[in-house]
Amino acid sequence: MVSDAGDQPRSARSAAWRFLIVGGINTLVTTALLVALSYVLEGWLAYTLVFLAGVVISTVFAARWVFTSNGSRRAALVYALSYLAIYFVGLLAIAGIKALDGPEYLNGLSVLVTAPLGFLAGRIVFRERQREESSDD
């Protein structure tokens, strides 16, 4: 019999790989959009539009494919709302780049801060949901 403690690291590792795939594709697409839009819009506005698109994509794929949860509407809402805090962290990164007179393409570096936070949010939100679902059985 395998203990729960033995399953935990393998589950986290598996979720991390799936998050990297889904998040990586999402990040590549949204970062390219962010850089392109940063040349025609203010950095904060470009970031806001692209971030919203990324949250929708992430929320749709995170529950079922990354964290293998049924992804109730409540959990999806909590996950999407957690991105509000992550959004402000990213805005702070964009503001820091602007304050340092960095070129627009450096706005893409905001993902180095926001992507790990998104993974942690998903692990917390959907792990709790999985516990609730297993206790219902």
Side-chain angles (χ1 to χ4, degrees):
M1 182 171 164
V2 179
S3 72
D4 289 339
D7 290 342
Q8 188 66 16
R10 187 172 33 206
S11 176
R13 194 172 22 252
S14 176
W17 280 111
R18 288 188 304 267
F19 183 83
L20 283 174
I21 292 167
V22 169
I25 292 168
N26 187 7
T27 299
L28 287 173
V29 170
T30 56
T31 300
L33 276 169
L34 173 60
V35 170
L37 288 175
S38 289
Y39 284 100
V40 295
L41 300 172
E42 288 291 321
W44 69 269
L45 181 57
Y47 178 77
T48 300
L49 294 173
V50 169
F51 195 87
L52 288 173
V55 168
V56 170
I57 294 167
S58 182
T59 301
V60 167
F61 288 103
R64 286 214 184 263
W65 201 74
V66 174
F67 299 106
T68 61
S69 170
N70 284 338
S72 70
R73 288 181 188 195
R74 179 179 154 265
L77 179 63
V78 170
Y79 180 66
L81 287 175
S82 70
Y83 269 90
L84 188 58
I86 296 167
Y87 167 78
F88 287 112
V89 171
L91 270 184
L92 187 60
I94 297 290
I97 291 166
K98 184 172 182 158
L100 295 172
D101 289 325
E104 285 77 10
Y105 67 85
L106 287 182
N107 288 342
L109 292 177
S110 61
V111 73
L112 296 176
V113 178
T114 58
L117 293 174
F119 178 76
L120 289 174
R123 286 288 296 166
I124 292 167
V125 169
F126 294 116
R127 179 195 287 177
E128 285 302 314
R129 184 65 192 151
Q130 286 175 337
R131 285 188 190 142
E132 291 171 15
E133 289 166 0
S134 2
S135 66
D136 290 342
D137 293 338

